[in-house]
Amino acid sequence: MTVPPHPLVTAARELAAGVLAPRAEAVDRDGMPASSIEALKRSGMLGIAAPVVDGGSAAPAAVVRETAEILAGACCSTWFVQTQHHTPVTTLARSALPVRDRLLGPLARGELLSGVAYAQLRAHPRVPVRVTRERGGRRFDGRVPWYTGWGLNDVMLLAGVTDRDEALFAFTEAREQPGLRPSPPMRLAALTASRTVSLELDGFWLPEEAVVLRVPYETWAVTDRPKNTNASPAVFGITAAAIGLLEDDPSARDTAQALRARLDEVRRHAYELADHPVPTERVEERLVCKTRAYDVMRAATTAAVVAGGGRSMDLRSPAQRLAREGMFLLVQGQTAQVRAAHLGALGPSGPASALSW
């Protein structure tokens, strides 16, 4: 008996087929229209991980991953903007502070879109953003090197390190304010449409009621470090989209079939590891699986470019877009541990050189 897809998977497929995929090359070249953001807000995707009582869906992990694959494969820029939203939602859901009551419902229902400004915490013991007490609130000073969704997001989750070596997270509006100045949007090799900027913080002040989380840095880091050892569903989404291009080309169908088998194998292994109840275990195995996922993505996007020939160099070609988006995913969320594992796999003694596939 065939099990019907989860309603959110159906919604993701409809959003991808009706809005994201038809616009993907135009979005890549010209930027993301407000209508794409509005379609995303209406889709239910923004509440996928939120509690039902707050207007979300509390979807199982398998559904969250499948929808991410679908969105990334259709338009990686849109996927990247919306994926920032889920950390603010889950952070609020775990909080008992007053800001939860003010923001969780609107974020879960898709009335507001949030971004995140916290990757700089991973530079510790260096402190790119310092938080101090001032006037009954918190003062932020420093620089956020990457912030995605500027001009698209309504609010942001901003983080820094206190003088007590705590990780502190607080919400603010995603707009220029006294003490908060964005750079011009960055011109990137891929995903320029995601409107990524850096943020200069010079005495940026927030009231204490904006704070959603304050914990010892090492407590936060223990839960953060394992996250990027797992393969991203977006990698599988880009890979599947590239294989889809090959399947449409009679001369490339044998290649597509072989790549599809490799994709199915590495995805199964990756999600088995992601579902392991202890995220700090089997780390080396996770890293090996992650680099193998990159290998398959690289092979699939390269094959799509090769199959397209000279047409692939046209900016209207999905093959070149997928290849560039794949390049972006090689470094998205990269940590020193992930970088070392990936470089080791690409080196003279790594599995890639031994043609392990």
Side-chain angles (χ1 to χ4, degrees):
M1 184 177 69
T2 302
V3 178
H6 190 283
L8 283 172
V9 171
T10 300
R13 289 174 179 162
E14 291 173 351
L15 177 65
V19 178
L20 304 188
R23 299 178 180 176
E25 276 69 55
V27 165
D28 181 61
R29 293 192 310 269
D30 306 325
M32 195 174 303
S35 57
S36 290
I37 297 299
E38 290 306 311
L40 178 65
K41 287 181 172 181
R42 292 193 303 268
S43 69
M45 295 298 107
L46 299 183
I48 194 168
V52 173
V53 68
D54 295 295
S57 301
V63 170
V64 174
R65 293 191 294 249
E66 187 171 1
T67 57
E69 287 187 26
I70 293 166
L71 298 184
C75 177
C76 200
S77 292
T78 305
W79 165 80
F80 192 50
V81 168
Q82 67 84 38
T83 201
Q84 315 295 312
H85 179 89
H86 303 303
T87 294
V89 168
T90 55
T91 302
L92 281 165
R94 295 170 184 151
S95 177
L97 295 176
V99 68
R100 183 191 196 281
D101 294 334
R102 179 166 59 87
L103 284 179
L104 183 53
L107 290 174
R109 294 189 296 269
E111 296 163 10
L112 297 175
L113 178 64
S114 182
V116 293
Y118 77 90
Q120 66 276 3
L121 290 181
R122 294 172 180 149
H124 195 272
R126 190 165 57 86
V127 181
V129 175
R130 174 69 68 184
V131 185
T132 53
R133 289 188 179 274
E134 184 177 283
R135 294 182 286 126
R138 303 287 176 159
R139 171 181 172 139
F140 292 76
D141 291 279
R143 182 174 182 270
V144 175
W146 304 97
Y147 178 81
T148 293
W150 188 259
L152 303 173
N153 295 328
D154 303 295
V155 297
M156 76 166 83
L157 180 60
L158 174 64
V161 177
T162 73
D163 53 5
R164 296 184 177 182
D165 206 34
E166 301 162 312
L168 184 143
F169 292 73
F171 278 94
T172 184
E173 294 181 53
R175 59 176 178 82
E176 187 168 358
Q177 304 173 56
L180 188 160
R181 186 177 70 256
S183 72
M186 298 177 189
R187 294 295 300 173
L188 305 174
L191 277 71
T192 289
S194 68
R195 295 187 61 85
T196 296
V197 300
S198 61
L199 300 174
E200 297 296 331
L201 304 168
D202 183 10
F204 178 57
W205 184 86
L206 288 174
E208 192 67 29
E209 55 264 29
V211 175
V212 66
L213 178 67
R214 179 170 61 88
V215 295
Y217 177 83
E218 192 54 36
T219 300
W220 174 82
V222 165
T223 61
D224 179 70
R225 288 186 189 118
K227 292 178 181 176
N228 288 326
T229 62
N230 288 312
S232 168
V235 169
F236 301 133
I238 294 293
T239 306
I243 292 172
L245 294 180
L246 296 171
E247 289 171 336
D248 291 336
D249 182 343
S251 68
R253 284 176 185 160
D254 288 346
T255 302
Q257 184 176 8
L259 287 167
R260 180 74 66 182
R262 289 168 59 179
L263 169 60
D264 290 345
E265 180 184 350
V266 73
R267 182 202 279 122
R268 177 197 55 76
H269 188 196
Y271 291 165
E272 172 195 307
L273 291 168
D275 287 334
H276 189 276
V278 184
T280 55
E281 292 182 356
R282 300 171 72 177
V283 170
E284 291 305 313
E285 187 179 356
R286 294 172 194 268
L287 290 170
V288 168
C289 186
K290 186 181 182 85
T291 58
R292 285 179 172 170
Y294 286 150
D295 289 345
V296 181
M297 178 180 68
R298 188 170 59 249
T301 55
T302 300
V305 170
V306 171
R311 297 187 307 277
S312 297
M313 294 301 100
D314 191 317
L315 288 179
R316 293 169 295 183
S317 162
Q320 55 76 32
R321 172 180 57 81
L322 290 169
R324 289 185 291 106
E325 290 172 347
M327 179 179 67
F328 171 84
L329 292 178
L330 295 178
V331 297
Q332 185 257 326
Q334 185 188 65
T335 63
Q337 183 183 33
V338 170
R339 182 187 302 113
H342 197 180
L343 288 174
L346 294 169
S349 60
S353 65
L355 299 178
S356 61
W357 285 98

